[in-house]
Amino acid sequence: MNAQELIATAGAMVAEDKGLLAMDESTPTCNKRFEKVGIPQTEETRRSYRELIVTTPGLGESISGVILYDETIRQSRKDGTPFVKVITDAGIIPGIKVDTGAKDMAGHPGEKITEGLDGLRDRLAEYSQMGARFAKWRAVITIAEGIPSRGCTEANAHALARYAALCQEVGLVPVVEPEVLMDGEHTLERCREVTEELLRTVFNHLYTQRVTLEGMILKPNMVLPGLTCPKQETVDEVADATVRCLLRAVPAAVPGIAFLSGGQSGELASARLNAMNVRFKSRLPWALAFSFARAIQQPALEIWQGRESHVLAAQRALYHRARCNRAARRGEYNAAMERT
Ligand code: 13P
């Protein structure tokens, strides 16, 4: 492991107020999103959609890295140029999702454990050879009556730390993603409590597994009230609760925190990230960035509808959301940007 290289890559992933674009939906998830908007679910439509994304003009102005999926990292543009080359030529760092999904956890009804550690060392070596420079692993935590349990929190944190150590061994920056889901009626305070406990546990395991914190990126949820909670806090209240929670649980050695969007609308995700940077940026030890999938892609997907004639309009929508989020990193996002 070359620590300096890892640190340089992690720094580049959050440099210049840019952020990550997650385009690593597994085949079943991508198909589900296609089905919702009436796009046929084939390998060719998935490839065309990913081509649309990676060939968006000017994407690299706001996006430092993209997260690919196993199918996608092996695909090419229609003219035969591998996606990894298209991405790298655009000045964007290619990354890869390496977990194999969140599965029902034995003995823990309603809870999930993320799988993918078996054979991971060999898969990471292959991805690294293919040009990936960072990786992602997502753990999923549900809030409901009596959960999350200690068993689920510990098992997921342990897997995240084992994955992160293996990534660093081969020179890939681990994006460590412990996600507390928004689904449910829980309050913002309950989300804060669960998120803080989860992050503390994750960092304990990262320490035990000897992960270099300077060479990783944390990808957490924002601290939010459950989707069906009657009380929905303001943008500023969410920003305050999220930053307060992170300050308590995330060591200052971590270079960047890149939020997932988790099903928030594009506008809300940008507004909340913006508020955090407006209110706290100059006082924080880490960069507050983004690693959104839906909050960047959704409008583009809806415009595209699988039609060649809609590609340019879809790319404009993708470029716009990426640009809004770069503005949010600078604390310069506002609703007027949505009308331009
Ligand atoms: P969302 O931004 O849609 O939550 O996706 C981020 C991600 O990469 C989930 O693993």
Side-chain angles (χ1 to χ4, degrees):
M1 168 176 108
N2 180 338
Q4 284 317 313
E5 216 171 281
L6 277 175
I7 293 167
T9 304
M13 289 164 69
V14 292
E16 297 174 49
D17 296 316
K18 298 183 192 180
L20 306 176
L21 166 58
M23 50 179 288
D24 61 330
E25 298 83 3
S26 65
T27 298
T29 301
C30 186
N31 285 347
K32 234 185 283 161
R33 296 201 180 143
F34 278 12
E35 194 183 359
K36 259 195 192 151
V37 289
I39 299 168
Q41 298 112 56
T42 66
E43 183 176 348
E44 179 49 26
T45 51
R46 291 191 298 274
R47 192 207 61 75
S48 307
Y49 178 57
R50 268 65 182 253
E51 172 164 344
L52 177 162
I53 295 178
V54 300
T55 59
T56 293
L59 191 66
E61 293 165 21
S62 308
I63 300 298
S64 56
V66 293
I67 315 175
L68 304 169
Y69 176 59
D70 183 76
E71 178 181 86
T72 323
I73 198 170
R74 300 171 195 282
Q75 288 174 325
S76 301
R77 208 165 60 183
K78 217 173 185 107
D79 69 5
T81 316
F83 281 163
V84 172
K85 179 164 166 42
V86 177
I87 292 162
T88 312
D89 287 351
I92 298 172
I93 307 170
I96 179 80
K97 180 230 286 297
V98 301
D99 66 72
T100 55
K103 309 286 163 57
D104 290 342
M105 185 166 166
H108 292 73
E111 298 194 285
K112 303 274 187 197
I113 175 72
T114 300
E115 294 184 350
L117 286 173
D118 287 352
L120 183 58
R121 175 179 272 138
D122 294 340
R123 290 195 292 125
L124 293 176
E126 187 194 5
Y127 290 137
S128 168
Q129 262 175 5
M130 292 170 89
R133 296 190 33 218
F134 69 95
K136 183 194 102 171
W137 178 292
R138 172 177 178 248
V140 182
I141 300 293
T142 305
I143 300 181
E145 188 72 33
I147 60 173
S149 65
R150 195 71 212 145
C152 176
T153 302
E154 288 282 346
N156 275 294
H158 177 77
L160 276 167
R162 295 265 321 274
Y163 137 82
L166 283 162
C167 284
Q168 291 191 335
E169 179 185 76
V170 71
L172 296 172
V173 170
V175 173
V176 172
E177 182 179 7
E179 174 175 7
V180 177
L181 295 175
M182 285 165 69
D183 308 78
E185 249 189 278
H186 56 269
T187 61
L188 172 136
E189 176 52 23
R190 176 90 177 109
C191 177
R192 188 205 57 74
E193 199 177 272
V194 169
T195 303
E196 183 178 334
E197 173 82 15
L198 175 63
L199 292 176
R200 285 181 185 277
T201 308
V202 167
F203 279 100
N204 280 340
H205 280 273
L206 290 169
Y207 172 68
T208 309
Q209 297 302 325
R210 303 181 177 166
V211 172
T212 302
L213 299 184
E214 292 85 347
M216 65 161 275
I217 299 291
L218 178 70
K219 176 166 174 168
N221 52 284
M222 295 183 190
V223 173
L224 304 171
L227 277 176
T228 50
C229 176
K231 180 157 189 244
Q232 293 290 318
E233 276 77 1
T234 63
V235 166
D236 284 351
E237 285 169 336
V238 164
D240 285 6
T242 302
V243 171
R244 239 181 302 125
C245 173
L246 294 171
L247 280 170
R248 285 181 180 171
V250 184
V254 173
I257 296 178
F259 293 103
L260 59 94
S261 60
Q264 305 172 65
S265 71
E267 286 86 347
L268 250 188
S270 298
R272 286 165 168 163
L273 178 62
N274 186 69
M276 289 181 221
N277 280 307
V278 167
R279 297 160 81 80
F280 301 101
K281 185 174 182 166
S282 60
R283 292 183 274 149
L284 299 176
W286 4 255
L288 281 187
F290 55 92
S291 177
F292 298 156
R294 283 162 287 181
I296 293 179
Q297 289 186 46
Q298 197 57 32
L301 181 63
E302 286 167 16
I303 291 168
W304 180 51
Q305 289 173 357
R307 297 193 202 174
E308 186 58 36
S309 58
H310 292 193
V311 166
L312 289 182
Q315 288 182 328
R316 272 198 296 275
L318 192 81
Y319 175 84
H320 172 71
R321 284 255 58 80
R323 198 169 150 266
C324 286
N325 288 309
R326 188 181 189 205
R329 279 210 55 189
R330 295 177 159 165
E332 291 172 0
Y333 170 80
N334 56 59
M337 278 189 80
E338 301 295 352
R339 295 191 290 272
T340 54

